[in-house]
Amino acid sequence: MKLWGGRFTKETNQLVHNFNESLSFDQKFYRQDIRGSIAHVTMLARQGILSEQDKVDIIRGLESIREDLDSGALAITPDSGYEDIHSFVEGTLTERVGEAGKRLHTGRSRNDQVALDMKLYTRDEIQEMDGLLRNLLKELLAVMEANLDTFMPGFTHLQKAQPITLAHHMGAYFEMFSRDRSRLHDIRERMNYCPLGSGALAGTTYPLDRAYTAELLDFYGPTLNSMDSVADRDYLLELLGALSIIAMHLSRFCEEIIIWNTNEYRFVEIDDSYSTGSSIMPQKKNPDIAELIRGKSGRVYGALVSLLTTMKGLPLAYNKDMQEDKELAFDAIDTVKGCLVLFTGMISSMTFRKDVMEASAKRGFTNATDAADYLVNRGVPFRDAHGIVGQLVLACIERGIALDDLPLEEYQAISPVFDDDVYEAISMKTCVEKRTTVGAPGEAAMRDVIAQYRKQLEQ
Ligand code: ARG
């Protein structure tokens, strides 16, 4: 069934129908479509545009459709012939409640209807993703609290640089995913205005109360330009941007986990339940999940670039090109949600090898800066100290030992300023402990930050 046809003398070509239809994917927001319609008729009746009886019949019909779709009693099939979810709901409604169903679309166009549905859907999904991000943050916080003294090398250029703790490393990701939450929140704030009542592009001649509809649907108010209302997909672009950044954060984290999980590093061991095997090499245990999450960033970025490209040449107001927003947004949202769930599970079941991390920090001379600082604190100019410690490192490399294991005589042979308190001064514990500025890995500084994170998560 079609919502149009009066001015046509021929049937639609089947290939045209197949190419044009969106029911196969926009059925995803049937709940939002029905919610919007209920608000619309509630407003129409209050304005005297629709009779009370019609309103009651329509709402009863819409609710029965929703229940039947939820339960599976009613199925959306491709051979129904409907073009989109809007036609499907209206057609089914008319089958169920008769004449009244035909009055549902009074003072409305599919252009403002789809703009509304997509916003309602986006808003619901933002809330769900916020919950998933929050779960991930809780998990990271748990790892942080358990690893305030798990020393490990911090890297620059993927070369061991200075000692940090696992808590500190996880804290960096906590920051990233917190920003992701706040980005989603910002998008919701900006988009939360109701387009319904904008009509096809130029408003309507019916005395609609757009503020009331907006209120019924939990928007801050109605949008203020009917052309923009039906042509705006900025919030989806922002969402795809935010999702791309989430995907990028997950991808970086996965890259680290893949490296840490190698035979060479062995900083972590991904749990068997989150690993996969090889069909030919019996010894293999592969980090497929981390790799897939890293890989899926590509399709999320792709959605962003695709929609930006689709939108760039569109004249005002609605154009059918915009139907392309749906599959892109749905796929990106579902992809990121899946990644967040899997990633959180992988992290929470992963083993962190504290001993391996600490040994790696020592063997990587991450305390060399602290050895130089030791000399500076005893009056040696920094540039000289840098040279002295460089020589000590070279001596250690030749013998395959850490600075912590070099005998005192050898320290003193290169600089008499060294005393046996040097070992204490360059221990991983001291190196980290001395870093007490806000945001540094020292335990006291970390505890302050963790308390703030806790509070943030409780809000
Ligand atoms: N399926 C359409 C979309 O997703 C709904 C709006 C249709 N409007 C129209 N004038 N054909 O954009």
Side-chain angles (χ1 to χ4, degrees):
M1 201 219 56
K2 281 200 188 69
L3 298 181
W4 41 269
R7 64 97 70 213
F8 288 77
T9 55
K10 285 187 184 174
E11 282 301 307
T12 314
N13 177 300
Q14 187 60 43
L15 290 177
V16 169
H17 172 82
N18 296 349
F19 194 69
N20 188 50
E21 70 86 25
S22 54
L23 181 63
S24 54
F25 47 88
D26 63 16
Q27 54 181 272
K28 211 170 169 74
F29 52 49
Y30 72 85
R31 284 193 197 89
Q32 287 81 3
D33 190 75
I34 289 172
R35 184 177 177 204
S37 290
I38 290 175
H40 183 61
V41 296
T42 304
M43 179 277 293
L44 288 180
R46 194 167 92 147
Q47 296 301 101
I49 303 167
L50 201 71
S51 74
E52 267 310 303
Q53 190 54 51
D54 281 345
K55 177 189 97 173
V56 170
D57 290 345
I58 291 173
I59 293 181
R60 185 173 38 78
L62 289 171
E63 283 172 347
S64 76
I65 293 172
R66 181 170 54 203
E67 279 160 26
D68 291 351
L69 286 173
D70 283 347
S71 72
L74 176 64
I76 300 176
T77 53
D79 56 12
S80 68
Y82 287 110
E83 187 180 340
D84 51 32
I85 190 62
H86 323 297
S87 325
F88 176 88
V89 171
E90 190 180 319
T92 312
L93 177 71
T94 305
E95 274 168 29
R96 292 190 176 192
V97 306
E99 279 299 293
K102 298 190 197 164
R103 298 188 203 279
L104 165 66
H105 210 51
T106 313
R108 187 174 73 172
S109 154
R110 276 183 296 166
N111 296 351
D112 58 345
Q113 188 179 355
V114 78
L116 171 72
D117 292 1
M118 205 54 192
K119 275 194 168 181
L120 289 175
Y121 186 82
T122 300
R123 221 172 56 177
D124 291 345
E125 292 296 313
I126 283 180
Q127 192 179 338
E128 204 174 316
M129 286 187 286
D130 182 71
L132 296 179
L133 282 167
R134 192 162 175 273
N135 289 345
L136 172 55
L137 289 173
K138 276 193 194 157
E139 201 50 58
L140 290 180
L141 200 57
V143 178
M144 290 172 73
E145 281 170 334
N147 289 284
L148 282 161
D149 59 354
T150 301
F151 305 113
M152 65 179 289
F155 297 84
T156 63
H157 314 271
L158 205 51
Q159 302 282 326
K160 294 177 192 176
Q162 291 179 339
I164 54 161
T165 63
L166 181 58
H168 193 241
H169 200 114
M170 293 291 123
Y173 285 103
F174 192 101
E175 287 284 327
M176 292 180 232
F177 294 118
S178 298
R179 286 196 295 272
D180 289 327
R181 277 185 90 191
S182 110
R183 241 184 300 276
L184 291 179
H185 177 82
D186 292 348
I187 295 167
R188 186 188 190 284
E189 287 296 294
R190 215 171 0 264
M191 66 167 266
N192 199 28
Y193 294 88
C194 185
L196 199 62
S198 299
L201 77 163
T204 74
T205 54
Y206 298 94
L208 304 185
D209 183 349
R210 293 194 56 212
Y212 181 54
T213 317
E215 190 190 315
L216 289 174
L217 293 168
D218 295 321
F219 285 100
Y220 295 144
T223 51
L224 298 183
N225 182 290
S226 60
M227 298 259 276
D228 179 58
S229 303
V230 294
D232 168 34
R233 295 295 182 272
D234 288 6
Y235 64 98
L236 286 179
L237 293 168
E238 288 188 45
L239 179 72
L240 292 175
L243 295 183
S244 294
I245 296 175
I246 295 174
M248 178 271 288
H249 289 155
L250 287 170
S251 181
R252 291 182 73 173
F253 209 159
C254 282
E255 169 72 10
E256 295 207 295
I257 289 169
I258 292 163
I259 293 173
W260 292 356
N261 188 61
T262 56
N263 295 332
E264 288 70 21
Y265 271 76
R266 294 181 55 252
F267 282 11
V268 298
E269 180 164 354
I270 300 175
D271 195 63
D272 277 6
S273 61
Y274 279 81
S275 308
T276 46
S278 157
S279 61
I280 172 170
M281 298 165 282
Q283 84 284 9
K284 291 274 273 185
K285 183 174 142 185
N286 293 327
D288 287 27
I289 297 308
E291 290 170 339
L292 267 175
I293 296 173
R294 184 178 60 183
K296 283 186 191 289
S297 56
R299 65 199 269 176
V300 181
Y301 296 2
L304 171 62
V305 175
S306 294
L307 189 58
L308 278 170
T309 311
T310 293
M311 294 303 295
K312 82 179 246 302
L314 298 189
L316 290 176
Y318 178 82
N319 303 271
K320 193 63 174 257
D321 315 45
M322 279 151 60
Q323 178 165 291
E324 287 291 307
D325 64 354
K326 286 167 203 68
E327 286 161 290
L328 295 170
F330 295 159
D331 184 68
I333 290 169
D334 291 345
T335 299
V336 168
K337 285 200 306 192
C339 288
L340 285 169
V341 170
L342 269 292
F343 187 84
T344 304
M346 181 175 68
I347 287 282
S348 61
S349 57
M350 201 160 77
T351 309
F352 295 94
R353 297 186 184 283
K354 303 184 182 206
D355 50 333
V356 179
M357 289 183 178
E358 180 164 354
S360 165
K362 276 190 193 160
R363 279 199 314 274
F365 305 106
T366 55
N367 48 5
T369 311
D370 297 81
D373 289 345
Y374 172 95
L375 294 174
V376 171
N377 287 330
R378 283 157 187 76
V380 181
F382 181 76
R383 198 43 62 207
D384 293 342
H386 188 285
I388 292 166
V389 176
Q391 289 179 58
L392 290 168
V393 166
L394 191 60
C396 289
I397 290 173
E398 277 161 5
R399 299 173 47 186
I401 57 173
L403 280 172
D404 311 61
D405 306 321
L406 191 69
L408 185 59
E409 310 83 72
E410 304 203 24
Y411 271 100
Q412 290 174 334
I414 296 180
S415 169
V417 179
F418 284 113
D419 214 335
D420 63 3
D421 58 353
V422 65
Y423 298 104
E424 170 76 38
I426 64 165
S427 75
M428 290 297 128
K429 188 168 168 52
T430 312
C431 294
V432 168
E433 275 324 290
K434 286 201 333 227
R435 292 175 156 79
T436 54
T437 44
V438 180
E443 187 171 331
M446 281 299 302
R447 281 194 191 282
D448 280 352
V449 166
I450 285 176
Q452 293 185 43
Y453 289 166
R454 263 261 154 258
K455 233 186 244 158
Q456 182 188 315
L457 282 186
E458 276 155 18
Q459 268 165 22

